Amino acid sequence: MLDPQIIFAGVLNGLLAGGIYVLVAVGLTLIYGVLHIINFAHGSLLMLAMYAVFFLWRLIGIDPYVALPVVIAGAFVFGFVLYRLVIGRFSHGRDENILLITLGLSIVIDNVALLFFGGDTQTIDVPYAGSFVELGAAFLPLPKLISFGASLLICAILGLYMAKSDTGKAIRAVAKERQGARLVGIDVDNIFAISYGIGIACLGAAACLLMPSYYVTPTSGHAFVLVAFTIVVLGGMGSFIGAAVGGFIIGITEALGGLFLGEQLGQIGISLIFILILLLKPTGLFGSKA
Amino acid sequence: MLEVRELSKSFGGLKAVDQASLDVRQGEIVGLIGPNGAGKTTLFAAIAGFHAPDAGHVAFEGKDITGLAPHRICAAGMVRTFQITQPFAKISVRENIMVGAYFRTADRKLAEREAEAVAGIVGMAGQLDQMGADLTVAGRKRLELARALATGPRLLLLDEVMAGLNPTEITEIVQVIREIRNSGITILLIEHVMQAVTSLAERVYVLNQGRMIAEGTPAAIAENAQVVEAYLGHGAAKVLRA
Amino acid sequence: MSRQALLCALGLAAAVIYPLVAPNYLINIGMMVFFVAFIGQSWNIAGGFAGQTSFGHVVFFGTGAYTSTILQVTYGWNPWLAWPAAMLAGGIVGWVIAFLSFRAGLRGSYFALITLAFAEVFRILANSVPFTRGGLGMLIKADQRPINFQFKEPIWIYYIALALCVISLLIAWQLTRNRFGARLVAIRENEDAARALGIDVFAEKVKVLTLSGAMCAAGGTFYAQKYLYIDPSIAFGVDKSVEMLLVSMVGGAGTIFGPLIGSVALTAINEITRWLASVVPALKNVQPLSLVVYGIMLVLIVARLPDGLMGLFRRKPRHA
Ligand SMILES: Nc1ncnc2c1ncn2[C@@H]1O[C@H](COP(=O)(O)OP(=O)(O)OP(=O)(O)O)[C@@H](O)[C@H]1O
Ligand SMILES: [Mg+2]
């Protein structure tokens, strides 16, 4: 049996990782909730954003946390344009076709990254990378703690924005009743593009928060895409609360899986959760009807 | 032949079908009418195995078929068509009908011949090579009918095969339905085109807000105050009579 | 003989003569074309004909590769005997995945994603359990005799790939003219209508995935015998799943020759980028560029050309 203190530390670390997963998953679930498309390019776009953060630091020396506003804005514009130019034109018809289109996009993005950035693993050595905070028996890396807090703060701001702002209300109206929203004069296509942009902006934020303690390669997207889908399916497609709760559950599952089953086998928990949820309760924990 | 007893089906809080009963006897054409949203399509779907009913029974030729899967019900000899036509878009009319014909034979040549024969009956002989997606509304309605017919049913459930057709097309399809009945197939049909119901059906059932409110000959139904009110609103019958 | 039959006969004759006149490296390319067309066809039968898009078809491929390799390396089976066993294993995995997924009512994107997750589970297991030797992978002892399913001359492995490809084409051709195939297409086009017409949709979908899984597993064994090595990321990695899907979609999903055409196109693009890399030094990394092109083609084809490259050859359907 493992020492409870190690388990405690594992759970804390899982929570910290989960905090950032929440941000990734909120982006995905927002896109699904509003547009009803499953964005398979989500992981690849996150990878791209991580490279952006990396190059901002490498070329201009901007700290990832300082880069937050820039990357968020850039990611929003990128997502908005991507929707307008590509996804929006094709986001109709059979849902698996849209899945195939976003798969095609992810293939393009991954390989463009490989072409231009090479296959090497890139990291950022921020000066505070080695700092730890002691919490009981657990030593928590400072960057992970900062990122955790920042991620939750950003989620809260986003939640507030969705609840209070006019755009947020319009987005929720479109998510709920597309035709009705159109009838009351909401520019639905514009809301779609904005929602996609916000979804990708979440990835921009997540990239800034990940880079101080994580690394990026052109295949990083793969690592995140199944995790993000699992969170969203677990929480319930389209549910914000679900994404938040799911993010923490998956973060902890991953950490404990690694502790109990080892580095390799530990990853199986996520895929198994994904499969079991789809087979047994496809609406997830908080989802309404699929 | 078909006995439906106190069938109920709800969606959430909405009772789409509420203890509805009906009978269809061998060789009849029976009409099922009712205002929009009365639950007619839902009743069909529950009879044909597409919705598991919440309560009630369906028996076909004496056997209980309540809640059986659609393909089992088809095997028993009863097929439905769809109000919202569901053509196989990317294959030809011939291949569409063959899917139905394959129900009775695994042989391609036979299925093809059968499909062509059925196309002849419903008046689609000239459209065999058209794609399902390219059909007009009238064509799609006929295709629904043809595919169902090709499975060789003894009872056909037709859901508004005349909706969206012009008067000439309606006259044609009324003729087709009559011929189908004359070939020995019993028919239960949902229809809004009253003229067609009157000319085709021996008996008519009226569904309103999920409940069966009347049953009788078309002439009797047209006189029924409750029915008129169901269609035109409360008090309408009195006004009309006055 | 009809024009199509004549074309097929000519094509087959050319494919048979080709390795007699081509240098070894071209024979190898031809072999890869047919091999990828074969596994692509296994995807196409489920994804193209029956419309059950899978993102994790590699789960069958890897099951086949590992089954025959383990039987051979660990239990001393002859690979020719291990081959049908591998197909059986692939069929069983196909049956189980289909049974679970379709019983749960998964369709469309959800089915695609769950197959991806199953492949991931198999990859992680292959990486972790002792009898697959984990991440080290498995080596098959080189002993180049036909009885060992190993050949000195590439021509033989080429002919086997060709035979597999021809068999897969015959299967697809049969599907365009038998009842099972008609039912699969009906299910793809409209499940509700298919059910109304007496088709046991669940049973047919399970059947087609079993068939597809067995075929794909046969490809896995072939691959293991050709390279005499497999590891979890080759056998269960997402790349092969994507390759199968890509060649079918690009060539023309649900068409007989789609996967073959897609495979030819993929190989051609690969060779062109390789050539480009040799003349433009800046593009020394070949693989990505061809996949970029392929990804773009996938997007364009899904959006604009649902019958893939095959759609370009075929005349427009007659209109009223
Ligand atoms: N799958 C469903 N989920 C929820 N509600 C449904 C569903 N199908 C039908 N309903 C509701 O049940 C009621 C009955 O619908 P149904 O389609 O059976 O009516 P109908 O008599 O066929 O009407 P129409 O003449 O317009 O075809 C309607 O209020 C409809 O909105
Ligand atoms: Mg109706």
Side-chain angles (χ1 to χ4, degrees):
Chain A
M1 197 54 218
L2 281 168
D3 185 341
Q5 295 198 322
I6 297 182
I7 296 178
F8 174 68
V11 170
L12 277 184
N13 267 303
L15 272 177
L16 291 189
I20 299 179
Y21 289 166
V22 169
L23 202 46
V24 178
V26 158
L28 189 61
T29 214
L30 172 72
I31 292 171
Y32 179 83
V34 180
L35 289 94
H36 303 300
I37 66 175
I38 297 187
N39 185 32
F40 201 76
H42 212 65
S44 302
L45 288 166
L46 174 62
M47 177 270 294
L48 213 53
M50 287 164 82
Y51 269 109
V53 175
F54 168 75
F55 283 114
L56 280 175
W57 173 80
R58 163 68 67 79
L59 301 178
I60 323 180
I62 301 181
D63 182 278
Y65 291 127
V66 178
L68 257 173
V70 184
V71 177
I72 290 178
F76 174 81
V77 172
F78 189 86
F80 189 90
V81 172
L82 185 67
Y83 181 85
R84 279 280 143 128
L85 293 186
V86 186
I87 295 172
R89 308 203 163 174
F90 306 140
S91 64
H92 43 72
R94 297 169 88 112
D95 74 325
E96 61 264 45
N97 283 354
I98 297 147
L99 189 69
L100 283 169
I101 281 175
T102 53
L103 168 72
L105 278 179
S106 81
I107 294 172
V108 172
I109 294 168
D110 289 359
N111 288 286
V112 164
L114 192 57
L115 206 57
F116 288 107
F117 309 148
D120 299 338
T121 300
Q122 306 287 9
T123 55
I124 292 179
D125 326 294
V126 284
Y128 41 85
S131 321
F132 286 89
V133 173
E134 202 182 329
L135 195 79
F139 287 90
L140 302 173
L142 182 63
K144 284 198 176 177
L145 263 179
I146 300 176
S147 293
F148 178 80
S151 172
L152 294 192
L153 188 66
I154 292 169
C155 288
I157 293 172
L158 180 62
L160 217 59
Y161 178 79
M162 295 296 281
K164 297 277 185 253
S165 76
D166 286 345
T167 312
K169 284 176 188 160
I171 289 175
R172 284 188 299 143
V174 171
K176 213 167 177 183
E177 185 49 71
R178 212 176 265 203
Q179 291 307 336
R182 193 166 273 142
L183 287 180
V184 299
I186 295 174
D187 179 352
V188 172
D189 279 331
N190 199 43
I191 291 295
F192 282 169
I194 290 174
S195 305
Y196 198 83
I198 295 178
I200 306 310
C202 290
L203 293 179
C208 294
L209 304 182
L210 277 167
M211 276 317 278
S213 55
Y214 207 72
Y215 60 88
V216 60
T217 79
T219 55
S220 292
H222 286 312
F224 283 101
V225 80
L226 198 58
V227 173
F229 277 122
T230 306
I231 293 169
V232 168
V233 166
L234 174 64
M237 280 285 200
S239 158
F240 273 82
I241 310 283
V245 175
F248 288 118
I249 295 179
I250 292 303
I252 294 171
T253 307
E254 202 180 32
L256 292 185
L259 270 183
F260 285 101
L261 302 172
E263 184 80 36
Q264 295 291 350
L265 197 56
Q267 304 161 7
I268 210 168
I270 292 178
S271 307
L272 279 181
I273 289 182
F274 185 76
I275 290 171
L276 290 177
I277 290 286
L278 278 189
L279 291 182
L280 302 176
K281 196 170 186 307
T283 52
L285 298 175
F286 297 90
S288 48
K289 269 207 161 151
Chain B
M1 184 173 211
L2 177 70
E3 283 175 34
V4 179
R5 287 290 167 273
E6 316 224 307
L7 204 70
S8 297
K9 176 72 195 172
S10 312
F11 298 112
L14 178 85
K15 282 193 169 172
V17 176
D18 190 4
Q19 300 189 355
S21 300
L22 67 77
D23 284 277
V24 179
R25 284 174 228 117
Q26 176 93 38
E28 277 186 313
I29 296 182
V30 177
L32 175 60
I33 64 171
N36 289 106
K40 304 180 295 293
T41 299
T42 307
L43 178 58
F44 260 30
I47 293 173
F50 280 79
H51 293 316
D54 300 330
H57 290 282
V58 183
F60 179 66
E61 293 181 335
K63 278 180 308 226
D64 185 20
I65 58 163
T66 319
L68 283 188
H71 68 272
R72 303 279 300 279
I73 290 175
C74 180
M78 174 163 80
V79 193
R80 75 174 283 203
T81 66
F82 292 90
Q83 175 178 5
I84 300 162
T85 54
Q86 317 270 359
F88 303 127
K90 279 179 67 180
I91 56 179
S92 67
V93 165
R94 178 186 282 105
E95 290 164 316
N96 262 276
I97 306 176
M98 278 173 73
V99 172
Y102 270 135
F103 184 73
R104 283 188 289 172
T105 170
D107 184 279
R108 191 167 75 101
K109 282 271 163 300
L110 227 60
E112 201 167 347
R113 228 175 301 144
E114 179 64 30
E116 281 163 14
V118 170
I121 296 175
V122 303
M124 292 195 96
Q127 293 169 293
L128 281 164
D129 291 316
Q130 259 184 47
M131 291 290 136
D134 297 339
L135 294 173
T136 59
V137 178
R140 285 155 165 255
K141 296 279 182 192
R142 281 172 198 247
L143 183 59
E144 279 288 329
L145 186 55
R147 280 191 322 204
L149 203 54
T151 64
R154 289 187 294 285
L155 175 60
L156 257 179
L157 308 181
L158 303 181
D159 196 347
E160 299 201 19
V161 285
M162 293 168 214
L165 305 193
N166 65 37
T168 331
E169 290 164 342
I170 289 178
T171 321
E172 283 168 9
I173 208 137
V174 163
Q175 197 50 40
V176 168
I177 291 172
R178 205 170 273 138
E179 276 163 29
I180 292 172
R181 195 269 298 270
N182 291 344
S183 75
I185 297 170
T186 311
I187 292 169
L188 172 60
L189 58 85
I190 295 176
E191 203 47 71
H192 276 302
V193 182
M194 274 317 286
Q195 228 183 323
V197 177
T198 319
S199 78
L200 276 172
E202 279 102 40
R203 288 188 304 124
V204 177
Y205 283 91
V206 187
L207 198 65
N208 185 33
Q209 296 180 1
R211 294 178 156 274
M212 210 58 94
I213 54 167
E215 186 255 307
T217 62
I221 289 293
E223 311 253 291
N224 186 316
Q226 224 186 335
V227 174
V228 176
E229 283 187 5
Y231 271 96
L232 300 178
H234 201 64
K238 221 183 276 172
V239 177
L240 280 183
R241 222 171 287 141
Chain C
M1 217 196 268
S2 72
R3 221 183 99 223
Q4 280 107 325
L6 194 68
L7 272 176
C8 289
L10 283 177
L12 183 59
V16 171
I17 295 167
Y18 170 83
L20 302 174
V21 296
N24 273 358
Y25 92 97
L26 280 182
I27 296 179
N28 252 317
I29 290 177
M31 184 274 298
M32 276 317 275
V33 166
F34 292 129
F35 162 70
V36 172
F38 173 74
I39 56 174
Q41 191 70 270
S42 81
W43 187 93
N44 187 38
I45 283 172
F49 283 94
Q52 305 306 308
T53 309
S54 145
F55 273 24
H57 233 59
V58 77
V59 70
F60 310 124
F61 177 85
T63 299
Y66 267 107
T67 303
S68 60
T69 304
I70 290 170
L71 286 175
Q72 194 180 165
V73 173
T74 314
Y75 298 100
W77 282 40
N78 178 286
W80 292 109
L81 285 178
W83 207 3
M87 290 178 66
L88 183 67
I92 291 173
V93 171
W95 187 90
V96 170
I97 291 179
F99 184 89
L100 293 174
S101 311
F102 297 137
R103 185 70 345 145
L106 298 182
R107 289 194 198 188
S109 300
Y110 289 91
F111 176 70
L113 292 175
I114 203 169
T115 57
L116 178 71
F118 272 112
E120 194 57 13
V121 166
F122 275 60
R123 187 187 66 78
I124 295 167
L125 283 177
N127 233 328
S128 320
V129 294
F131 62 86
T132 59
R133 313 232 168 117
L136 289 177
M138 298 185 84
L139 271 170
I140 297 172
K141 216 174 88 209
D143 181 358
Q144 294 182 317
R145 285 179 296 161
I147 183 77
N148 290 330
F149 200 151
Q150 298 179 28
F151 304 90
K152 274 203 190 67
E153 303 291 330
I155 190 171
W156 296 113
I157 201 92
Y158 169 92
Y159 279 136
I160 294 176
L162 175 61
L164 286 176
C165 181
V166 169
I167 291 171
S168 73
L169 290 173
L170 289 174
I171 293 175
W173 178 62
Q174 275 305 308
L175 288 181
T176 61
R177 42 186 292 119
N178 66 15
R179 171 160 79 173
F180 181 46
R183 288 181 166 172
L184 296 182
V185 171
I187 290 168
R188 175 191 73 203
E189 292 296 317
N190 193 319
E191 264 190 38
D192 276 340
R195 288 200 293 162
L197 297 175
I199 297 175
D200 185 348
V201 170
F202 173 74
E204 301 294 329
K205 289 204 283 194
V206 170
K207 239 191 270 176
V208 76
L209 231 76
T210 308
L211 171 66
S212 173
M215 272 176 76
C216 197
T221 299
F222 174 88
Y223 186 94
Q225 293 304 128
K226 157 75 181 145
Y227 292 101
L228 300 180
Y229 174 76
I230 48 165
D231 70 23
S233 55
I234 294 173
F236 292 114
V238 73
D239 291 356
K240 274 250 151 12
S241 289
V242 169
E243 191 177 21
M244 290 181 240
L245 177 155
L246 272 177
V247 294
S248 301
M249 290 299 304
V250 169
T255 65
I256 300 175
F257 287 100
L260 179 57
I261 304 235
S263 178
V264 170
L266 178 67
T267 310
I269 292 170
N270 253 326
E271 294 305 310
I272 291 169
T273 45
R274 188 169 301 177
W275 169 80
L276 263 181
S278 64
V279 276
V280 188
L283 295 173
K284 61 181 183 298
N285 214 339
V286 198
Q287 187 101 28
L289 189 62
S290 56
L291 277 168
V292 170
V293 173
Y294 240 65
I296 294 171
M297 284 175 85
L298 176 63
V299 172
L300 292 179
I301 277 172
V302 173
R304 294 270 178 269
L305 205 63
D307 288 330
L309 295 176
M310 278 299 288
L312 296 177
F313 296 126
R314 197 184 291 155
R315 267 164 298 160
K316 278 255 152 73
R318 281 152 282 191
H319 282 260

